[in-house]
Amino acid sequence: PATGFSPYGIAAGPDEHLWFMEMNGYGASRAARMSTDGSAVDYPLPASVGTSYDLVSGADGRLWFGAKDALGAITTDGVTSIYPLPAGVNPWKVIAGPDGALWFADNGHGLGRMTTDGTFNEFLINPVGTSDVEDLAASSDGNVWFTDQSNRDIGRITPAGVITTWPLAKGAAGLTGGPDGNIWFGTTDGSGAMGRITPSGNLTYPLELPALCTGYCPSPSINEMTAGPDGGIWLNSWAA
């Protein structure tokens, strides 16, 4: 990283390089590209971007990232474009959706969708002002799934914006589409439990995991997970 900056987030770019965000302690961000031999190039971003935590490869061949009241995109040769959002919309957890658009959390309001030409739609989660979307994932069923930690829900939104939620007894965080076609998610309440839901909404929860550590173990919380190439679900935990 550039001097004074720390790396956040990482994504495989369409140029066969690794891309990640860099931040300093003063609200400035950079995008960086690294080859697999370790050589890197930094791209300063406009000051209006503010703090940006992660980025994702979009269907248009650019890398997309969240910014203050905006989404941003950068080409693989470092040309940046900023797409303003309504005031107060601060995107979080930007992902590439199965419909080719970018989807993100707009905490306190709901979910946002932006096409690669900059067309924006907002989908509110009711009651407005209560949502805390922790993670999003594209699924093989063509929809985007999300966890709402404040409302203790797991939810599904269609490309047309129809939202369906399923209540949970515990707060949920990370989730991923599994190789079995189901959506898997983890809890953050210290139980170390996971859940699974089918695309049609058949919920199995909680799935208790084996002990994640031995000896002294802080209460386990599952924050991130992904489907592995071995057909399993891999996750990280504060207790592991």
Side-chain angles (χ1 to χ4, degrees):
T3 301
F5 284 76
S6 298
Y8 281 81
I10 190 167
D15 56 352
E16 299 185 355
H17 289 80
L18 289 310
W19 286 77
F20 55 94
M21 301 304 290
E22 300 177 328
M23 293 191 304
N24 66 11
Y26 303 98
S29 297
R30 295 171 177 251
R33 183 189 71 207
M34 178 175 285
S35 67
T36 53
D37 66 7
S39 57
V41 179
D42 294 310
Y43 298 101
L45 299 175
S48 62
V49 168
T51 299
S52 186
Y53 290 95
D54 48 22
L55 76 174
V56 65
S57 186
D60 60 349
R62 294 185 293 175
L63 285 300
W64 287 76
F65 54 89
K68 180 176 173 55
D69 298 332
L71 279 189
I74 185 169
T75 66
T76 54
D77 56 2
V79 178
T80 301
S81 301
I82 302 297
Y83 298 91
L85 294 167
V89 177
N90 292 307
W92 164 255
K93 288 289 184 180
V94 182
I95 68 164
D99 57 350
L102 290 310
W103 289 80
F104 56 89
D106 172 17
N107 282 344
H109 295 88
L111 301 164
R113 177 183 181 271
M114 181 176 280
T115 63
T116 54
D117 66 2
T119 302
F120 167 67
N121 296 101
E122 185 177 37
F123 304 100
L124 301 179
I125 295 176
N126 291 316
V128 176
T130 66
S131 69
D132 179 13
V133 175
E134 188 70 17
D135 203 3
L136 298 92
S139 175
S140 59
D141 66 352
N143 299 309
V144 170
W145 289 75
F146 61 91
T147 51
D148 184 342
Q149 190 156 285
S150 290
N151 290 321
R152 294 189 173 184
D153 288 336
I154 183 167
R156 179 188 67 207
I157 183 167
T158 69
V162 178
I163 295 175
T164 306
T165 59
W166 289 262
L168 303 171
K170 305 172 183 178
L175 81 166
T176 187
D180 57 355
N182 298 317
I183 295 83
W184 294 74
F185 59 94
T187 57
T188 58
D189 67 338
S191 67
M194 288 178 61
R196 180 184 66 225
I197 189 168
T198 67
S200 61
N202 185 10
L203 180 66
T204 303
Y205 173 80
L207 296 169
E208 301 295 341
L209 295 178
L212 297 177
C213 62
T214 58
Y216 170 72
C217 295
S219 299
S221 293
I222 299 170
N223 302 289
E224 299 286 348
M225 58 177 58
T226 189
D230 59 351
I233 303 296
W234 289 77
L235 54 94
N236 65 24
S237 168
W238 288 347

